[in-house]
Each structure stands twice: as C-alpha cells, then as structure tokens.
Amino acid sequence: MKVVLAFIVTIFGLVHISNAQETPVKPKRKDVRNVEDLKQNPLEITSVNLSRRKLTEFPMEVLKCTNITELSLSQNEISSIPNEISSLTKLRRLILSENKIFSFTESIGSMIELEKLALSKNTAKELHDLKNLRKL
C-alpha cells in the first residue's frame, strides 16, 4: 500500500512540475520612454511615458500597443489627438497636460475604463461629453 501511495505521489509531482514548465510567464515591459521602443513587441507594453519629448504630433505607434493601461504625453507640443485613441480600451490613465491641443476628440468620451484624465494647460476651449467616464 505504501509503495502504491508513494508511486501516486511521485507521478502527481512529476505531472505538476511538467505542467508548470509548459506555461512560461512572459515579463511585460512596464514603462516605454521613447517612440522607437513602441515598435518592438507592442502587445507586451503596458505603460507609455513620452512626456517632455518635444513631440509635435501624436505618435501613432502607440495605437498598436493595445494592452497599455497608462499613457502620458504631457509637456510636448502635440496639437491634436486622433479618434483612434478610443481603440486603447484598457487605458486607465491618460495624461495630455501641457500640450497645444486645440480640440479634444469626442472618442475620449467612450473610453470607459479611464480613471484619470489630465487635460490641463492646453489651448482647447471646450470638452465633449464625458458622462460615460464614470470611473473618473
């Protein structure tokens, strides 16, 4: 009986160890800080901080990073945000402060996962309806 029990425990242990080895966990890159890094494995990127990079246009490469939860583009010279920004459905923090944005796209109002939205110190005079952003 002891031999059978030891055999079962041994087999279970080997199965458990082999299953653990079959599912490796990929480390996700947290904080990308330059546009070139956006092009390498965009699906692994979870946070993008391109603040103070003297950007004059929204970096469209960001839109390929569909798993990002944080995007900071503050203190640049960006003048507009594309409607496609709403495709970043996991985005929780969107920081666009201190740019030259003259109009905010209506699609920001459909980004229901947003918990923080910073838009201060831009040139826009009005903001579209944000009533769907209940987590703000």
Side-chain angles (χ1 to χ4, degrees):
M1 180 77 165
K2 289 181 183 180
V3 173
V4 173
L5 185 56
F7 178 74
I8 292 172
V9 169
T10 303
I11 295 296
F12 177 74
L14 291 176
V15 169
H16 181 68
I17 290 170
S18 68
N19 284 343
Q21 293 172 352
E22 290 175 12
T23 55
V25 176
K26 289 184 181 179
K28 290 188 177 184
R29 291 189 288 163
K30 276 302 264 175
D31 198 8
V32 171
R33 292 188 174 264
N34 68 59
V35 175
E36 288 303 312
D37 286 347
L38 292 172
K39 298 173 185 176
Q40 300 172 6
N41 300 317
L43 297 178
E44 293 181 9
I45 298 170
T46 59
S47 178
V48 176
N49 185 345
L50 298 176
S51 298
R52 300 182 191 141
R53 297 286 183 247
K54 299 180 182 176
L55 299 175
T56 56
E57 295 181 354
F58 182 90
M60 297 303 279
E61 296 87 351
V62 168
L63 300 175
K64 294 179 182 168
C65 304
T66 55
N67 289 316
I68 63 172
T69 59
E70 299 180 28
L71 174 58
S72 181
L73 296 172
S74 65
Q75 299 178 357
N76 283 296
E77 297 184 18
I78 298 170
S79 59
S80 65
I81 303 299
N83 286 330
E84 293 84 1
I85 194 168
S86 64
S87 68
L88 302 175
T89 57
K90 297 179 182 179
L91 204 58
R92 291 187 183 147
R93 296 171 49 91
L94 177 58
I95 314 300
L96 300 172
S97 302
E98 298 184 47
N99 277 286
K100 296 182 178 181
I101 301 169
F102 57 87
S103 176
F104 291 105
T105 176
E106 288 182 44
S107 64
I108 289 177
S110 68
M111 300 175 75
I112 59 172
E113 293 301 317
L114 282 180
E115 296 171 359
K116 179 171 183 164
L117 177 61
L119 305 173
S120 65
K121 297 186 180 177
N122 279 288
T123 59
K125 300 294 181 206
E126 65 179 281
L127 193 57
H128 295 281
D129 188 9
L130 299 177
K131 67 182 175 189
N132 292 330
L133 305 182
R134 298 172 190 220
K135 295 183 180 183
L136 287 181

